[in-house]
Amino acid sequence: MLSFLYARQSGLDDPVRLRRAESTRRVLSLELNHNRDVDRIHGNGINTLDTEVIDGRYMLSGGSDGVIVIYDLENNSKKPQYTCKAICTVGRSSRHVHKFSVETVQWYPHDTGMFVSSSFDKTMKVWDTETLKPAEEFQFDGNVYCHHMSPVARKQSLVAVGTKDPKVQLCDLKSGSRIHILQGHRGEILSVRWSPRYDHILATASTDSRVRIWDVRRASGSLFTLDQHNGDKSKASSEAVNTAHNGRVNGLCFTADGLHLLSTGTDDRMRLWNSGTGENTLVNYGKVVNESRKGLKFTVSRGCSPEFVFVPCGSSVAVYGLHSGELITMLRGHYNNVDCCEFHPDYQELYSGGKDCNILAWVPVLRQPGIEDDETNSKRGGTQAAINPAFEDAWSSDED
């Protein structure tokens, strides 16, 4: 760390390098924080979490009981041990509450005054955060599995919606109407994600084993379909041609720069794709257990080098190296299956929710004050304590 500070001070290094190194160290030291609790409000499993990017302070949760909760993540007590309080709840007593399981919640990307939720009650609701009443409600013919708003769009306010219908719906928040449908899938749409790089690029995943990439400005079909065999028909059976997985594809997540797309399937595989060409990068993550019959909410770190993937895996959260495929660690703490996780890039923290009705906070271990002294002693021939090899690889100084 001292070498990074010196290099930054003297202008030898880009300031971003120090930030990435420390962010990486923090992610690699994540552990369950026993001093931080999150109010237990849900009476049934937690399906979805989302933190807003404006202040980085408020988090949404949606549960199988139809309840939506807003939490304040800030430590207002200033004490080491504290509870993240639920400040607003759309509970069972509210006449606006979803009748069935809430599958996805998402803050409006540019303002905390609005958020969107979708549910198995065949509706998607646009909420006013102040009044906790729906400002708009969209009705669909089947269960709504997922929705997503572009994090970078300024000129359009489209919400992509995945339902039991094979057609992907595009809803316009400005007009309050469904303006377009995307046809091509042959099964239920389990996951939809807008690119964080281009506001017109959309990825969709379905029970038909396919992932399609769309340019919503075009009236024609999808740009391309992801192929796990990269066009090598000798490796694919006749049914597996142009498929991303050998089972239902139930999870999608872009990397922060939008250059890569991750997909998960019920074939117990996770794949990393070049989002520009659709090429399978063939990173081997091994067996990624995935028994979810609905969408799987996993996430990717931001601001680290290298980046990491956090995937619900049974009652644990598996942490993988994004480009290496290496299983770094398993975060264990839930008593039942984990259904969703959300990475907080400001503090390199992770929140996970599961069927045990708990939201757990995974927080980086503070840097020990004597660690620099240990490093100095080791350079002088002293004995150095055992250090996780991943730490050494991530930010060894030029002098080593």
Side-chain angles (χ1 to χ4, degrees), residues 24-39:
T24 308
R25 184 202 69 80
R26 288 170 64 83
V27 169
L28 286 167
S29 66
L30 282 176
E31 66 175 29
L32 184 61
N33 191 326
H34 299 286
N35 292 323
R36 187 187 310 183
D37 293 322
V38 180
D39 266 352

Side-chain angles (χ1 to χ4, degrees), residues 65-317:
D65 51 5
V67 172
I68 298 172
V69 185
I70 301 177
Y71 299 93
D72 185 351
L73 302 179
E74 195 164 279
N75 182 6
N76 295 312
S77 69
K78 306 303 179 187
K79 297 177 181 177
Q81 192 163 3
Y82 70 101
T83 300
C84 298
K85 295 293 185 183
I87 55 174
C88 301
T89 304
V90 182
R92 299 309 306 171
S93 59
S94 169
R95 65 189 180 93
H96 303 294
V97 70
H98 282 288
K99 293 181 178 62
F100 302 123
S101 174
V102 175
E103 292 302 302
T104 310
V105 290
Q106 186 188 5
W107 288 103
Y108 182 61
H110 311 300
D111 187 359
T112 56
M114 187 169 79
F115 65 90
V116 182
S117 65
S118 55
S119 166
F120 273 7
D121 63 6
K122 306 178 183 179
T123 66
M124 180 179 73
K125 297 182 180 183
V126 183
W127 299 82
D128 182 330
T129 310
E130 285 291 322
T131 62
L132 286 185
K133 294 179 180 177
E136 191 69 60
E137 183 173 323
F138 295 87
Q139 296 278 348
F140 299 92
D141 296 330
N143 293 348
V144 183
Y145 288 105
C146 56
H147 74 264
H148 195 237
M149 291 177 281
S150 171
V152 294
R154 294 284 182 177
K155 295 180 180 177
Q156 51 96 338
S157 53
L158 298 178
V159 185
V161 185
T163 67
K164 206 165 185 177
D165 192 300
K167 302 183 184 77
V168 180
Q169 313 269 349
L170 294 182
C171 301
D172 188 2
L173 295 182
K174 289 181 180 177
S175 65
S177 60
R178 281 179 275 179
I179 62 167
H180 196 40
I181 57 173
L182 305 175
Q183 300 187 67
H185 285 293
R186 297 177 182 175
E188 301 169 347
I189 309 298
L190 298 182
S191 186
V192 293
R193 300 296 287 192
W194 291 96
S195 165
R197 196 176 186 87
Y198 304 107
D199 64 2
H200 55 273
I201 297 297
L202 175 70
T204 60
S206 169
T207 56
D208 63 6
S209 304
R210 288 175 167 81
V211 174
R212 292 181 180 272
I213 308 294
W214 311 80
D215 183 341
V216 298
R217 301 172 301 180
R218 294 171 33 149
S220 57
S222 57
L223 288 175
F224 49 82
T225 303
L226 301 185
D227 180 8
Q228 58 183 307
H229 301 293
N230 286 333
D232 188 348
K233 294 182 180 178
S234 63
K235 294 181 180 179
S237 62
S238 57
E239 304 88 36
V241 173
N242 280 343
T243 58
H245 289 266
N246 296 323
R248 298 187 304 275
V249 189
N250 60 359
L252 292 175
C253 187
F254 277 98
T255 55
D257 56 14
L259 296 178
H260 292 90
L261 174 70
L262 279 156
S263 65
T264 57
T266 54
D267 56 355
D268 293 338
R269 289 288 178 266
M270 180 164 65
R271 295 198 165 93
L272 181 69
W273 311 84
N274 182 313
S275 59
T277 63
E279 180 188 7
N280 182 0
T281 61
L282 303 177
V283 174
N284 182 13
Y285 297 96
K287 183 177 182 179
V288 182
V289 177
N290 182 352
E291 299 171 350
S292 176
R293 299 187 63 83
K294 304 184 293 184
L296 187 71
K297 310 293 194 306
F298 67 104
T299 188
V300 178
S301 66
R302 274 162 281 176
C304 300
S305 180
E307 298 289 9
F308 304 95
V309 191
F310 305 93
V311 189
C313 190
S315 60
S316 307
V317 178

Side-chain angles (χ1 to χ4, degrees), residues 373-397:
D373 298 333
D374 293 342
E375 290 174 359
T376 306
N377 289 338
S378 70
K379 288 176 185 176
R380 292 173 180 170
T383 305
Q384 185 180 13
I387 295 177
N388 187 328
F391 293 163
E392 296 176 347
D393 293 341
W395 56 82
S396 56
S397 69

